[in-house]
Amino acid sequence: MSAPRKTRLYAILAVVCGAVLTVALTLYALSSNIDLFYTPSEILYGKNETQEKPAIGQRLRVGGMVMPGSVRRDSQSLAVRFTVYDAQGSVDVTYNGMLPDLFREGQGVVAQGVLDTDDHITAKEVLARHDENYTPPEIKAAMEGEHGHAPTTAKEGNPL
């Protein structure tokens, strides 16, 4: 092999290795910023296809309806604790901040935060549905089940 061909070959190999390294580092950096969407029953029982549950400490989004009678507000701060439910389960959410104007019991919400325990999320952001005629497809599918109605009472537990 002649010297110019070797030089071209090394240059091409260097470019390919650089591109692979760049893609690998980008994917690694983005993996820590991914927030996967779960319904309350998927958090408790795992995704339907894989039965894989989210890990404690994982960032995620949970969507469902706010259980009537579950909203507990701390009188000394902006901390709020409420329960989000779907057709087969419910999880508790704690949020410290201003809630959206459309937030209320019986409304659809999406809470983005970190899974603290198997059934508790500390939310960094809470989004309420913006139109009474709109429900995100994931929440609508989760709510349509054998038990597609709200439980009559909130889970027993300590307020904030």
Side-chain angles (χ1 to χ4, degrees), residues 9-28:
L9 179 62
Y10 290 141
I12 291 172
L13 286 175
V15 169
V16 169
C17 288
V20 168
L21 182 63
T22 301
V23 169
L25 290 174
T26 302
L27 291 176
Y28 176 73

Side-chain angles (χ1 to χ4, degrees), residues 19-148:
V20 168
L21 182 63
T22 301
V23 169
L25 290 174
T26 302
L27 291 176
Y28 176 73
L30 291 176
S31 68
S32 64
N33 292 328
I34 293 176
D35 295 328
L36 299 175
F37 180 84
Y38 289 89
T39 61
S41 60
E42 290 173 341
I43 291 173
L44 297 172
Y45 310 116
K47 293 267 188 186
N48 291 341
E49 306 83 36
T50 62
Q51 299 301 314
E52 183 177 333
K53 293 181 182 182
I56 293 179
Q58 177 178 335
R59 290 176 40 167
L60 53 79
R61 291 181 182 185
V62 61
M65 305 294 276
V66 178
M67 186 179 295
S70 70
V71 178
R72 306 278 187 265
R73 298 178 189 270
D74 185 7
S75 61
Q76 304 299 319
S77 68
L78 294 175
V80 179
R81 184 180 186 119
F82 56 94
T83 301
V84 175
Y85 73 92
D86 67 359
Q88 289 122 11
S90 63
V91 294
D92 291 327
V93 177
T94 302
Y95 176 67
N96 192 7
M98 296 289 292
L99 288 169
D101 290 337
L102 295 175
F103 178 89
R104 61 183 152 268
E105 295 176 353
Q107 282 291 101
V109 296
V110 175
Q112 179 178 339
V114 177
L115 184 65
D116 291 334
T117 64
D118 287 337
D119 66 346
H120 182 266
I121 295 156
T122 300
K124 304 281 189 238
E125 182 179 21
V126 174
L127 305 170
R129 76 177 192 194
H130 65 285
D131 181 16
E132 62 193 37
N133 299 320
Y134 174 75
T135 300
E138 297 90 352
I139 295 174
K140 187 174 183 178
M143 295 306 295
E144 293 173 354
E146 291 180 33
H147 312 296

Side-chain angles (χ1 to χ4, degrees), residues 1-10:
M1 190 181 278
S2 66
R5 281 190 157 182
K6 277 187 178 180
T7 305
R8 264 189 254 141
L9 179 62
Y10 290 141

